[in-house]
Amino acid sequence: MVPWGIYATAMLKITMCVIVFPFSLRGCTDIICCVLFIVVILGYMAVGILAWLYGDPRHVLYPRNSTGMFCGIGLNKAQPSVFYFDILKCVTSINIMAATLNGLQCPTTQVDSHWFKNMDFSGWLKHFFFSPCLPACLSVGIYHCWWEYDNYRKSTVSITDIGFTTDFKVYLQVKETWLAFLIILSVVEGILLLTLIFLRTRILIAIALIQESSKAVSHMMSTLFYPLITFVLLVVCVAYWGITALYLATSGIPVYKVVALNSTQDNCGQISSNETCDPQVNYLWCRSARCIFIKYNNEGLLQRNLFNLQIYNGVAFLWCVNFVIAMGQCSLAGAFASYYWALNKPSDIPTFPLSQAFIRTIRYHVGSLAFGALILTLIQIIRIILEYLDHKTRAAQNPCSRFLMCCLKCCFWCLEKFIKFLNRNAYIMIAVYGKNFCVSAKNAFMLLMRNIVRVVVLDKVTDLLLFFGKMLVVGGVGVLAFFFFSGRIRLPSSNFRTEMLNYYWMPIIVVVVGAYLIAHGFFSVYSMCVDTLFLCFLEDLERHDGTMQKPYYMSKNLMKILKKKNRGPKNGEGKD
């Protein structure tokens, strides 16, 4: 005979799972956009196949000699460079005109050469100066400003007597400067105190959510490695776009035409200028004739549509990149939402939550993610077009048109930021409730607007903590790299010698940039966890009241801050 309490608790869990986190009631969302995305991907693959079949990247990777053979490969593998036999012909007026009319090719014999293989061109490398801004305790700053002001109070020198000077130390010796600093710091201190007084509860909620996010990540350590999957997929997208663009750009067959010079002196009557020719044929009877590369053949169907195919390549690339990012956000949101909606943590957390969330996203919500990615892609295309128009018309712009163009670019930049913010929260709602993109975006936006103060406080507190976290990681790695590459730290088992480095700042910069990218990837997971738990927390507050039928799923710390509690059975009180 099953006790009534256990039976009621089990039925409660099943009911809340269906109502709050309805994995079993999901269906495919935004099917039309899903089909459109699949069609675009298939077309993208077809474009890549066509480019691979008709393209020849050797045209841009390797130079050609006068016979049309590539330098650096095949028979000319040992001669990677082109040497112009008579470079003076490139600067004569008649040959400049011929080059202008015939593909900008220098009409002199070109031979393969390895003379320049070992030449090294050194450049200037600018030093990077890192000026970390360390926030002081404001009250100490106010006291110091008052102390300096009191010291210079009896001074007869005024800031008007000094005027403008490049020696800024002089300004620190007048009382007006320290008085201004004192007023500014006092105002900032007052704003912070008022913020802490009136927004104390919301700041505590933000801190509690961040602490809860740390617990969620600790229970699902696999989420920290998901950015590697996103990174690999983005590298694949970039590589596919770059290779396709390269093959498309070289998909035409090279066209060569004859340029005959000094035809009256040589026996060149059989050769007519500008007729097509074969660069591997030697014109022994006309030594001044040259077979010059003009262009790539653009008369075929593929060649006539190269520009359109390149546009398609770029648009599909942007859509794929935004889709990959959206897939990562929705998968992480699903994993972290399963943590929040577990009544008893961590026992009720699903097994392999990230894998389940990823499979659920791919199975049901490809269309919704593609929809959101498409909206963002269209905004980015408009921004690219504006940048292109601004670049092309820069010389002809007057101040009014330049101002309007700047306003347009600023507006669409803000619109892109807003769409990214809206998409991010829409993906969280998709992961939680499984609705389509429009409904999820609307619900997320209205939920955030109803709690706008909490949103602002949480956003700023989270941004501040994540910024300090990134700077701590990057700064620590940078300091260690500096001491290692400068020779101040030596590993006993390492054969590496700092004397081998001509300029040790270069590896330090590479290490710092790599550390920032890695830290950004890991902290992006943490940021996604905070945003997901925050939306779930807001939903929890609006949908539940702490009764047995509608218990709170938030942690005890959050319930203590909000002075709420569950009035159901003991195992429904929400454990940490």
Side-chain angles (χ1 to χ4, degrees), residues 423-451:
N423 284 4
R424 182 184 181 93
N425 290 280
Y427 299 147
I428 295 175
M429 299 299 284
I430 290 172
V432 175
Y433 294 107
K435 303 291 183 63
N436 60 46
F437 177 81
C438 294
V439 174
S440 300
K442 176 186 174 182
N443 293 340
F445 181 77
M446 298 306 297
L447 181 63
L448 294 174
M449 289 300 102
R450 291 193 297 268
N451 301 270

PDB file of all heavy atoms in Angstrom, residues 423-451:
ATOM      1  N   ASN A 423      16.625  37.989 -29.418  1.00  0.00           N
ATOM      2  CA  ASN A 423      16.807  36.599 -29.847  1.00  0.00           C
ATOM      3  C   ASN A 423      17.312  35.729 -28.704  1.00  0.00           C
ATOM      4  O   ASN A 423      16.856  34.592 -28.519  1.00  0.00           O
ATOM      5  CB  ASN A 423      17.785  36.534 -31.015  1.00  0.00           C
ATOM      6  CG  ASN A 423      17.160  36.977 -32.325  1.00  0.00           C
ATOM      7  OD1 ASN A 423      16.007  37.415 -32.360  1.00  0.00           O
ATOM      8  ND2 ASN A 423      17.908  36.890 -33.404  1.00  0.00           N
ATOM      9  N   ARG A 424      18.256  36.246 -27.957  1.00  0.00           N
ATOM     10  CA  ARG A 424      18.834  35.481 -26.848  1.00  0.00           C
ATOM     11  C   ARG A 424      17.760  35.073 -25.843  1.00  0.00           C
ATOM     12  O   ARG A 424      17.706  33.907 -25.430  1.00  0.00           O
ATOM     13  CB  ARG A 424      19.920  36.330 -26.187  1.00  0.00           C
ATOM     14  CG  ARG A 424      20.660  35.653 -25.043  1.00  0.00           C
ATOM     15  CD  ARG A 424      21.629  36.653 -24.429  1.00  0.00           C
ATOM     16  NE  ARG A 424      22.390  36.090 -23.344  1.00  0.00           N
ATOM     17  CZ  ARG A 424      23.574  35.524 -23.450  1.00  0.00           C
ATOM     18  NH1 ARG A 424      24.128  35.401 -24.643  1.00  0.00           N
ATOM     19  NH2 ARG A 424      24.211  35.057 -22.387  1.00  0.00           N
ATOM     20  N   ASN A 425      16.907  36.012 -25.469  1.00  0.00           N
ATOM     21  CA  ASN A 425      15.846  35.691 -24.512  1.00  0.00           C
ATOM     22  C   ASN A 425      14.741  34.858 -25.150  1.00  0.00           C
ATOM     23  O   ASN A 425      14.106  34.039 -24.473  1.00  0.00           O
ATOM     24  CB  ASN A 425      15.269  36.995 -23.947  1.00  0.00           C
ATOM     25  CG  ASN A 425      16.246  37.709 -23.043  1.00  0.00           C
ATOM     26  OD1 ASN A 425      16.417  37.364 -21.873  1.00  0.00           O
ATOM     27  ND2 ASN A 425      16.904  38.729 -23.569  1.00  0.00           N
ATOM     28  N   ALA A 426      14.498  35.053 -26.459  1.00  0.00           N
ATOM     29  CA  ALA A 426      13.522  34.211 -27.148  1.00  0.00           C
ATOM     30  C   ALA A 426      13.983  32.765 -27.182  1.00  0.00           C
ATOM     31  O   ALA A 426      13.174  31.835 -27.010  1.00  0.00           O
ATOM     32  CB  ALA A 426      13.293  34.732 -28.568  1.00  0.00           C
ATOM     33  N   TYR A 427      15.273  32.528 -27.397  1.00  0.00           N
ATOM     34  CA  TYR A 427      15.787  31.159 -27.411  1.00  0.00           C
ATOM     35  C   TYR A 427      15.648  30.505 -26.045  1.00  0.00           C
ATOM     36  O   TYR A 427      15.422  29.287 -25.946  1.00  0.00           O
ATOM     37  CB  TYR A 427      17.257  31.152 -27.845  1.00  0.00           C
ATOM     38  CG  TYR A 427      17.492  31.698 -29.232  1.00  0.00           C
ATOM     39  CD1 TYR A 427      18.652  32.387 -29.548  1.00  0.00           C
ATOM     40  CD2 TYR A 427      16.541  31.534 -30.241  1.00  0.00           C
ATOM     41  CE1 TYR A 427      18.874  32.885 -30.818  1.00  0.00           C
ATOM     42  CE2 TYR A 427      16.749  32.037 -31.517  1.00  0.00           C
ATOM     43  CZ  TYR A 427      17.920  32.718 -31.796  1.00  0.00           C
ATOM     44  OH  TYR A 427      18.131  33.221 -33.053  1.00  0.00           O
ATOM     45  N   ILE A 428      15.775  31.301 -24.979  1.00  0.00           N
ATOM     46  CA  ILE A 428      15.578  30.749 -23.637  1.00  0.00           C
ATOM     47  C   ILE A 428      14.130  30.294 -23.460  1.00  0.00           C
ATOM     48  O   ILE A 428      13.866  29.190 -22.949  1.00  0.00           O
ATOM     49  CB  ILE A 428      15.955  31.800 -22.575  1.00  0.00           C
ATOM     50  CG1 ILE A 428      17.448  32.127 -22.643  1.00  0.00           C
ATOM     51  CG2 ILE A 428      15.596  31.292 -21.177  1.00  0.00           C
ATOM     52  CD1 ILE A 428      17.882  33.244 -21.720  1.00  0.00           C
ATOM     53  N   MET A 429      13.182  31.117 -23.893  1.00  0.00           N
ATOM     54  CA  MET A 429      11.776  30.747 -23.778  1.00  0.00           C
ATOM     55  C   MET A 429      11.445  29.560 -24.683  1.00  0.00           C
ATOM     56  O   MET A 429      10.608  28.717 -24.321  1.00  0.00           O
ATOM     57  CB  MET A 429      10.893  31.944 -24.127  1.00  0.00           C
ATOM     58  CG  MET A 429      11.097  33.156 -23.221  1.00  0.00           C
ATOM     59  SD  MET A 429      10.726  32.825 -21.488  1.00  0.00           S
ATOM     60  CE  MET A 429       8.938  32.833 -21.533  1.00  0.00           C
ATOM     61  N   ILE A 430      12.075  29.479 -25.835  1.00  0.00           N
ATOM     62  CA  ILE A 430      11.883  28.311 -26.713  1.00  0.00           C
ATOM     63  C   ILE A 430      12.373  27.061 -26.017  1.00  0.00           C
ATOM     64  O   ILE A 430      11.716  26.007 -26.062  1.00  0.00           O
ATOM     65  CB  ILE A 430      12.617  28.530 -28.049  1.00  0.00           C
ATOM     66  CG1 ILE A 430      11.925  29.610 -28.875  1.00  0.00           C
ATOM     67  CG2 ILE A 430      12.681  27.236 -28.853  1.00  0.00           C
ATOM     68  CD1 ILE A 430      12.694  30.018 -30.116  1.00  0.00           C
ATOM     69  N   ALA A 431      13.545  27.155 -25.361  1.00  0.00           N
ATOM     70  CA  ALA A 431      14.087  25.986 -24.660  1.00  0.00           C
ATOM     71  C   ALA A 431      13.202  25.567 -23.500  1.00  0.00           C
ATOM     72  O   ALA A 431      13.095  24.376 -23.191  1.00  0.00           O
ATOM     73  CB  ALA A 431      15.497  26.303 -24.157  1.00  0.00           C
ATOM     74  N   VAL A 432      12.531  26.531 -22.850  1.00  0.00           N
ATOM     75  CA  VAL A 432      11.716  26.203 -21.680  1.00  0.00           C
ATOM     76  C   VAL A 432      10.348  25.679 -22.082  1.00  0.00           C
ATOM     77  O   VAL A 432       9.906  24.623 -21.617  1.00  0.00           O
ATOM     78  CB  VAL A 432      11.581  27.445 -20.771  1.00  0.00           C
ATOM     79  CG1 VAL A 432      10.627  27.153 -19.608  1.00  0.00           C
ATOM     80  CG2 VAL A 432      12.942  27.861 -20.246  1.00  0.00           C
ATOM     81  N   TYR A 433       9.645  26.395 -22.966  1.00  0.00           N
ATOM     82  CA  TYR A 433       8.247  26.072 -23.252  1.00  0.00           C
ATOM     83  C   TYR A 433       8.026  25.454 -24.630  1.00  0.00           C
ATOM     84  O   TYR A 433       6.943  24.936 -24.888  1.00  0.00           O
ATOM     85  CB  TYR A 433       7.387  27.334 -23.122  1.00  0.00           C
ATOM     86  CG  TYR A 433       7.340  27.854 -21.716  1.00  0.00           C
ATOM     87  CD1 TYR A 433       8.018  29.011 -21.355  1.00  0.00           C
ATOM     88  CD2 TYR A 433       6.633  27.181 -20.736  1.00  0.00           C
ATOM     89  CE1 TYR A 433       7.985  29.487 -20.062  1.00  0.00           C
ATOM     90  CE2 TYR A 433       6.589  27.654 -19.433  1.00  0.00           C
ATOM     91  CZ  TYR A 433       7.273  28.804 -19.103  1.00  0.00           C
ATOM     92  OH  TYR A 433       7.238  29.263 -17.812  1.00  0.00           O
ATOM     93  N   GLY A 434       8.974  25.554 -25.535  1.00  0.00           N
ATOM     94  CA  GLY A 434       8.825  24.918 -26.837  1.00  0.00           C
ATOM     95  C   GLY A 434       7.877  25.628 -27.777  1.00  0.00           C
ATOM     96  O   GLY A 434       7.382  25.016 -28.722  1.00  0.00           O
ATOM     97  N   LYS A 435       7.598  26.921 -27.556  1.00  0.00           N
ATOM     98  CA  LYS A 435       6.730  27.674 -28.467  1.00  0.00           C
ATOM     99  C   LYS A 435       7.531  28.156 -29.671  1.00  0.00           C
ATOM    100  O   LYS A 435       8.762  28.069 -29.698  1.00  0.00           O
ATOM    101  CB  LYS A 435       6.118  28.869 -27.740  1.00  0.00           C
ATOM    102  CG  LYS A 435       5.324  28.511 -26.494  1.00  0.00           C
ATOM    103  CD  LYS A 435       4.046  27.781 -26.847  1.00  0.00           C
ATOM    104  CE  LYS A 435       3.231  27.482 -25.596  1.00  0.00           C
ATOM    105  NZ  LYS A 435       2.781  28.678 -24.900  1.00  0.00           N
ATOM    106  N   ASN A 436       6.838  28.696 -30.683  1.00  0.00           N
ATOM    107  CA  ASN A 436       7.535  29.204 -31.860  1.00  0.00           C
ATOM    108  C   ASN A 436       8.272  30.497 -31.535  1.00  0.00           C
ATOM    109  O   ASN A 436       8.159  31.045 -30.439  1.00  0.00           O
ATOM    110  CB  ASN A 436       6.573  29.397 -33.032  1.00  0.00           C
ATOM    111  CG  ASN A 436       5.470  30.389 -32.709  1.00  0.00           C
ATOM    112  OD1 ASN A 436       5.705  31.459 -32.167  1.00  0.00           O
ATOM    113  ND2 ASN A 436       4.245  30.029 -33.036  1.00  0.00           N
ATOM    114  N   PHE A 437       9.016  31.006 -32.507  1.00  0.00           N
ATOM    115  CA  PHE A 437       9.900  32.133 -32.238  1.00  0.00           C
ATOM    116  C   PHE A 437       9.124  33.400 -31.876  1.00  0.00           C
ATOM    117  O   PHE A 437       9.477  34.086 -30.911  1.00  0.00           O
ATOM    118  CB  PHE A 437      10.789  32.402 -33.461  1.00  0.00           C
ATOM    119  CG  PHE A 437      11.676  33.590 -33.297  1.00  0.00           C
ATOM    120  CD1 PHE A 437      12.870  33.490 -32.597  1.00  0.00           C
ATOM    121  CD2 PHE A 437      11.326  34.826 -33.822  1.00  0.00           C
ATOM    122  CE1 PHE A 437      13.696  34.597 -32.421  1.00  0.00           C
ATOM    123  CE2 PHE A 437      12.136  35.937 -33.654  1.00  0.00           C
ATOM    124  CZ  PHE A 437      13.325  35.819 -32.957  1.00  0.00           C
ATOM    125  N   CYS A 438       8.097  33.728 -32.638  1.00  0.00           N
ATOM    126  CA  CYS A 438       7.362  34.971 -32.401  1.00  0.00           C
ATOM    127  C   CYS A 438       6.713  34.985 -31.027  1.00  0.00           C
ATOM    128  O   CYS A 438       6.790  35.979 -30.288  1.00  0.00           O
ATOM    129  CB  CYS A 438       6.322  35.193 -33.492  1.00  0.00           C
ATOM    130  SG  CYS A 438       7.023  35.498 -35.133  1.00  0.00           S
ATOM    131  N   VAL A 439       6.060  33.886 -30.670  1.00  0.00           N
ATOM    132  CA  VAL A 439       5.409  33.803 -29.351  1.00  0.00           C
ATOM    133  C   VAL A 439       6.454  33.868 -28.241  1.00  0.00           C
ATOM    134  O   VAL A 439       6.277  34.568 -27.236  1.00  0.00           O
ATOM    135  CB  VAL A 439       4.578  32.517 -29.257  1.00  0.00           C
ATOM    136  CG1 VAL A 439       4.028  32.343 -27.848  1.00  0.00           C
ATOM    137  CG2 VAL A 439       3.441  32.542 -30.269  1.00  0.00           C
ATOM    138  N   SER A 440       7.564  33.160 -28.421  1.00  0.00           N
ATOM    139  CA  SER A 440       8.617  33.159 -27.400  1.00  0.00           C
ATOM    140  C   SER A 440       9.246  34.531 -27.254  1.00  0.00           C
ATOM    141  O   SER A 440       9.515  34.985 -26.134  1.00  0.00           O
ATOM    142  CB  SER A 440       9.683  32.119 -27.762  1.00  0.00           C
ATOM    143  OG  SER A 440       9.131  30.823 -27.831  1.00  0.00           O
ATOM    144  N   ALA A 441       9.487  35.202 -28.379  1.00  0.00           N
ATOM    145  CA  ALA A 441      10.077  36.542 -28.321  1.00  0.00           C
ATOM    146  C   ALA A 441       9.125  37.521 -27.631  1.00  0.00           C
ATOM    147  O   ALA A 441       9.553  38.354 -26.815  1.00  0.00           O
ATOM    148  CB  ALA A 441      10.419  37.025 -29.727  1.00  0.00           C
ATOM    149  N   LYS A 442       7.836  37.423 -27.951  1.00  0.00           N
ATOM    150  CA  LYS A 442       6.850  38.306 -27.317  1.00  0.00           C
ATOM    151  C   LYS A 442       6.770  38.053 -25.822  1.00  0.00           C
ATOM    152  O   LYS A 442       6.789  39.001 -25.011  1.00  0.00           O
ATOM    153  CB  LYS A 442       5.485  38.090 -27.961  1.00  0.00           C
ATOM    154  CG  LYS A 442       4.371  38.882 -27.302  1.00  0.00           C
ATOM    155  CD  LYS A 442       3.014  38.521 -27.868  1.00  0.00           C
ATOM    156  CE  LYS A 442       1.895  39.215 -27.104  1.00  0.00           C
ATOM    157  NZ  LYS A 442       0.555  38.829 -27.609  1.00  0.00           N
ATOM    158  N   ASN A 443       6.686  36.775 -25.415  1.00  0.00           N
ATOM    159  CA  ASN A 443       6.586  36.448 -23.993  1.00  0.00           C
ATOM    160  C   ASN A 443       7.834  36.891 -23.228  1.00  0.00           C
ATOM    161  O   ASN A 443       7.745  37.417 -22.116  1.00  0.00           O
ATOM    162  CB  ASN A 443       6.369  34.949 -23.819  1.00  0.00           C
ATOM    163  CG  ASN A 443       5.017  34.501 -24.338  1.00  0.00           C
ATOM    164  OD1 ASN A 443       4.093  35.312 -24.484  1.00  0.00           O
ATOM    165  ND2 ASN A 443       4.879  33.222 -24.635  1.00  0.00           N
ATOM    166  N   ALA A 444       9.007  36.677 -23.829  1.00  0.00           N
ATOM    167  CA  ALA A 444      10.245  37.094 -23.167  1.00  0.00           C
ATOM    168  C   ALA A 444      10.313  38.604 -23.018  1.00  0.00           C
ATOM    169  O   ALA A 444      10.686  39.119 -21.956  1.00  0.00           O
ATOM    170  CB  ALA A 444      11.450  36.571 -23.960  1.00  0.00           C
ATOM    171  N   PHE A 445       9.946  39.320 -24.076  1.00  0.00           N
ATOM    172  CA  PHE A 445      10.017  40.779 -24.033  1.00  0.00           C
ATOM    173  C   PHE A 445       9.045  41.353 -23.002  1.00  0.00           C
ATOM    174  O   PHE A 445       9.410  42.238 -22.208  1.00  0.00           O
ATOM    175  CB  PHE A 445       9.720  41.354 -25.417  1.00  0.00           C
ATOM    176  CG  PHE A 445       9.790  42.840 -25.491  1.00  0.00           C
ATOM    177  CD1 PHE A 445      11.006  43.491 -25.526  1.00  0.00           C
ATOM    178  CD2 PHE A 445       8.627  43.608 -25.512  1.00  0.00           C
ATOM    179  CE1 PHE A 445      11.073  44.877 -25.583  1.00  0.00           C
ATOM    180  CE2 PHE A 445       8.683  44.988 -25.574  1.00  0.00           C
ATOM    181  CZ  PHE A 445       9.915  45.619 -25.609  1.00  0.00           C
ATOM    182  N   MET A 446       7.805  40.851 -22.973  1.00  0.00           N
ATOM    183  CA  MET A 446       6.827  41.352 -22.015  1.00  0.00           C
ATOM    184  C   MET A 446       7.224  40.998 -20.584  1.00  0.00           C
ATOM    185  O   MET A 446       7.035  41.798 -19.654  1.00  0.00           O
ATOM    186  CB  MET A 446       5.443  40.780 -22.336  1.00  0.00           C
ATOM    187  CG  MET A 446       4.903  41.178 -23.701  1.00  0.00           C
ATOM    188  SD  MET A 446       4.885  42.970 -23.973  1.00  0.00           S
ATOM    189  CE  MET A 446       3.728  43.479 -22.703  1.00  0.00           C
ATOM    190  N   LEU A 447       7.799  39.819 -20.402  1.00  0.00           N
ATOM    191  CA  LEU A 447       8.253  39.424 -19.067  1.00  0.00           C
ATOM    192  C   LEU A 447       9.370  40.329 -18.575  1.00  0.00           C
ATOM    193  O   LEU A 447       9.394  40.743 -17.404  1.00  0.00           O
ATOM    194  CB  LEU A 447       8.722  37.972 -19.092  1.00  0.00           C
ATOM    195  CG  LEU A 447       9.208  37.374 -17.766  1.00  0.00           C
ATOM    196  CD1 LEU A 447       8.086  37.339 -16.746  1.00  0.00           C
ATOM    197  CD2 LEU A 447       9.772  35.971 -17.987  1.00  0.00           C
ATOM    198  N   LEU A 448      10.294  40.671 -19.458  1.00  0.00           N
ATOM    199  CA  LEU A 448      11.386  41.558 -19.075  1.00  0.00           C
ATOM    200  C   LEU A 448      10.889  42.978 -18.824  1.00  0.00           C
ATOM    201  O   LEU A 448      11.385  43.659 -17.911  1.00  0.00           O
ATOM    202  CB  LEU A 448      12.465  41.553 -20.160  1.00  0.00           C
ATOM    203  CG  LEU A 448      13.209  40.227 -20.349  1.00  0.00           C
ATOM    204  CD1 LEU A 448      14.150  40.314 -21.536  1.00  0.00           C
ATOM    205  CD2 LEU A 448      13.988  39.850 -19.090  1.00  0.00           C
ATOM    206  N   MET A 449       9.939  43.440 -19.626  1.00  0.00           N
ATOM    207  CA  MET A 449       9.421  44.792 -19.432  1.00  0.00           C
ATOM    208  C   MET A 449       8.660  44.919 -18.112  1.00  0.00           C
ATOM    209  O   MET A 449       8.642  45.990 -17.497  1.00  0.00           O
ATOM    210  CB  MET A 449       8.511  45.179 -20.603  1.00  0.00           C
ATOM    211  CG  MET A 449       9.236  45.426 -21.911  1.00  0.00           C
ATOM    212  SD  MET A 449      10.455  46.763 -21.827  1.00  0.00           S
ATOM    213  CE  MET A 449      11.993  45.828 -21.699  1.00  0.00           C
ATOM    214  N   ARG A 450       8.029  43.844 -17.683  1.00  0.00           N
ATOM    215  CA  ARG A 450       7.334  43.885 -16.396  1.00  0.00           C
ATOM    216  C   ARG A 450       8.302  43.899 -15.221  1.00  0.00           C
ATOM    217  O   ARG A 450       7.905  44.186 -14.092  1.00  0.00           O
ATOM    218  CB  ARG A 450       6.384  42.689 -16.275  1.00  0.00           C
ATOM    219  CG  ARG A 450       5.201  42.736 -17.208  1.00  0.00           C
ATOM    220  CD  ARG A 450       4.147  41.719 -16.819  1.00  0.00           C
ATOM    221  NE  ARG A 450       4.617  40.342 -16.916  1.00  0.00           N
ATOM    222  CZ  ARG A 450       4.491  39.576 -17.996  1.00  0.00           C
ATOM    223  NH1 ARG A 450       3.911  40.069 -19.084  1.00  0.00           N
ATOM    224  NH2 ARG A 450       4.926  38.332 -18.004  1.00  0.00           N
ATOM    225  N   ASN A 451       9.552  43.600 -15.478  1.00  0.00           N
ATOM    226  CA  ASN A 451      10.564  43.566 -14.418  1.00  0.00           C
ATOM    227  C   ASN A 451      11.813  44.338 -14.868  1.00  0.00           C
ATOM    228  O   ASN A 451      12.937  43.879 -14.696  1.00  0.00           O
ATOM    229  CB  ASN A 451      10.941  42.121 -14.085  1.00  0.00           C
ATOM    230  CG  ASN A 451       9.769  41.289 -13.620  1.00  0.00           C
ATOM    231  OD1 ASN A 451       9.470  41.221 -12.432  1.00  0.00           O
ATOM    232  ND2 ASN A 451       9.094  40.630 -14.561  1.00  0.00           N
TER     233      ASN A 451
END
